Amino acid sequence: MKFLQSYPKEVKIFLAASLINSAGGSLMWPLTTMYVFDELGRSMADAGLVVMIQAFGGIIGQLLGGALYHRVGVKRLIVGSLGLNALGLFTLPFISSYWIVYMVVMGLIGLFNAVSMPAIQAFVGFRFADRRGELFNVIYVANNIGVALGTALSGFLADVSYHLTFVLNGVTSAVFALFFLNYLNRLDKQEGPVHLQKKTKEGAKESIPALLGNTRIYLFLGLGSLFLWFGNSIWNTGVSPHIISEGLPKRAYGFLWTLNGILIFVAQPVTALIKRWFAKESSAQMTASAVFYLLAYIVILLLPSYPGLIFAMVLATLGEMLISPAIPAYISDHAYRAAPFYIGLTGGMAALGRMIGPYFMGILYDHGGLVPVAWLSIAIAVLAVSSFVIHALRHKAVGQSFSGSVEG
């Protein structure tokens, strides 16, 4: 890990804490459907309802996390949301037999976990302004290491106890909360509250209606994210049942995601070249990302064999690697003090795409298999490319307009 040597100690500690938290979070999400169906004895429809409620809580949490950043304060928002998330996880083993209460708590877990996301991204953007784009990418890689570790452990832990996964997830969330409490307290003593925002813009304040009215900075970026994650539902609601219907072993689907995790590490030089040669600006990286997703869906349509699916996963992973750091980097660079609000808003729009995509694709798959699902993903990906192209074309105007509004 030679690339980490250039970062200060506080960045390395933050990356380690983020990795541990993402590992804990990924312990539970693959098991939610299995837990509801196997342990609670409910139907698959009930399991899908729980997932949808949790996803809806995530949408609300993204919006709240961005809107409350400056009103509540970064310390109370991040530490409080992580602490409440841990509390919700610790209660799951005791309330699972009460179905309505269980669904409500799962919705709250989705909400509290999501509240911390835009707050942490905005904090990183403010704190490490000179290297934020690079650091967002490193955090993305570290989080995926955590996800790989967590998902690998989840099956083994589930064989021991579902409740053990809930508790361990709660422990990692609580540890992350304590890390931020100690970290932010130390910063307050050393530097005061200046780490909350960019100094040159700290006097500017905007109401939420005014921020929403400035659609040029977030609208097409958010729509592109919504379309992108809507279309990406093809992997769960199209490719997964297609592999089973073709008589392939279930581990063949798992291997696709193993490949995804490996590529995120080993293909960093590839995306670095793409950024250097074709997409230097973060807005251009979003467009390139959507193009890679579009190409992946075209491959799924034309080559639905397993080698074709592997090739499609390679293309989609390159798209994921380009867009995940680009969105928070762009918003942090151009929204200044309002960055938390717009990170939360666009995150909520992306979460909406992830929530509704499986429903529509499930209906299409039931009526026609993989082909109509692939066509829908292609059409949606075209909309994503178009949205990001429009956003990129307005890139300079957005920066000038928003800069003028916050300074005026």
Side-chain angles (χ1 to χ4, degrees), residues 312-391:
M313 177 57 82
V314 171
L315 294 170
T317 302
L318 291 174
E320 177 189 344
M321 292 168 67
L322 285 169
I323 197 164
S324 292
I327 289 179
Y330 174 85
I331 294 175
S332 297
D333 284 340
H334 295 85
Y336 308 118
R337 191 180 190 275
F341 177 84
Y342 290 117
I343 289 174
L345 181 59
T346 55
M349 294 173 75
L352 178 61
R354 284 193 294 266
M355 187 177 78
I356 63 177
Y359 175 75
F360 288 100
M361 290 190 178
I363 293 174
L364 283 179
Y365 190 89
D366 287 341
H367 286 82
L370 183 61
V371 171
V373 173
W375 274 115
L376 177 60
S377 287
I378 290 170
I380 294 296
V382 169
L383 292 177
V385 172
S386 302
S387 297
F388 286 132
V389 166
I390 294 172
H391 175 78

Side-chain angles (χ1 to χ4, degrees), residues 33-286:
T33 300
M34 191 185 303
Y35 176 73
V36 172
F37 182 74
D38 180 35
E39 185 80 4
L40 300 185
R42 311 290 299 199
S43 67
M44 286 301 292
D46 286 340
L49 178 62
V50 171
V51 172
M52 183 173 290
I53 289 172
Q54 189 175 8
F56 180 73
I59 295 173
I60 303 301
Q62 289 270 3
L63 298 175
L64 284 176
L68 296 177
Y69 186 94
H70 292 297
R71 289 169 171 78
V72 174
V74 61
K75 187 191 304 182
R76 282 187 290 179
L77 188 61
I78 294 178
V79 175
S81 61
L82 289 171
L84 289 171
N85 183 58
L87 181 62
L89 289 163
F90 288 142
T91 64
L92 283 180
F94 306 102
I95 54 89
S96 297
S97 57
Y98 304 97
W99 179 242
I100 300 298
V101 178
Y102 171 75
M103 288 193 295
V104 171
V105 172
M106 288 298 290
L108 291 174
I109 288 172
L111 185 147
F112 292 134
N113 184 58
V115 164
S116 66
M117 294 178 183
I120 293 172
Q121 288 182 321
F123 170 77
V124 170
F126 290 139
R127 175 68 180 162
F128 308 103
D130 56 335
R131 303 177 72 177
R132 58 166 68 107
E134 179 185 353
L135 190 54
F136 279 131
N137 187 63
V138 175
I139 292 171
Y140 164 69
V141 173
N143 284 340
N144 274 277
I145 295 174
V147 169
L149 292 173
T151 51
L153 289 171
S154 62
F156 297 103
L157 291 172
D159 284 336
V160 178
S161 170
Y162 284 109
H163 293 166
L164 179 62
T165 64
F166 302 155
V167 172
L168 289 179
N169 191 356
V171 168
T172 58
S173 186
V175 169
F176 205 34
L178 291 174
F179 160 77
F180 264 105
L181 180 62
N182 177 66
Y183 178 48
L184 294 174
N185 279 339
R186 191 170 68 252
L187 283 183
D188 283 341
K189 291 178 181 178
Q190 293 173 355
E191 305 177 20
V194 297
H195 61 277
L196 294 177
Q197 58 196 52
K198 197 170 182 178
K199 293 180 182 179
T200 57
K201 308 294 176 183
E202 62 186 4
K205 293 184 179 180
E206 293 258 17
S207 66
I208 289 180
L211 292 171
L212 288 173
N214 199 336
T215 57
R216 287 180 295 177
I217 198 168
Y218 75 88
L219 180 59
F220 290 104
L221 187 158
L223 287 175
S225 300
L226 188 157
F227 295 139
L228 209 63
W229 298 118
F230 183 112
N232 205 44
S233 300
I234 189 175
W235 293 103
N236 292 325
T237 326
V239 172
S240 175
H242 174 74
I243 284 177
I244 295 173
S245 68
E246 291 295 300
L248 295 171
K250 294 177 182 177
R251 64 178 177 272
Y253 180 67
F255 174 74
L256 291 175
W257 291 108
T258 302
L259 176 63
N260 171 266
I262 293 172
L263 286 172
I264 288 171
F265 311 139
V266 303
Q268 287 294 321
V270 178
T271 53
L273 288 176
I274 293 171
K275 293 175 184 178
R276 188 179 306 133
W277 292 347
F278 307 110
K280 293 182 180 180
E281 297 285 335
S282 53
S283 55
Q285 291 161 23
M286 298 174 210

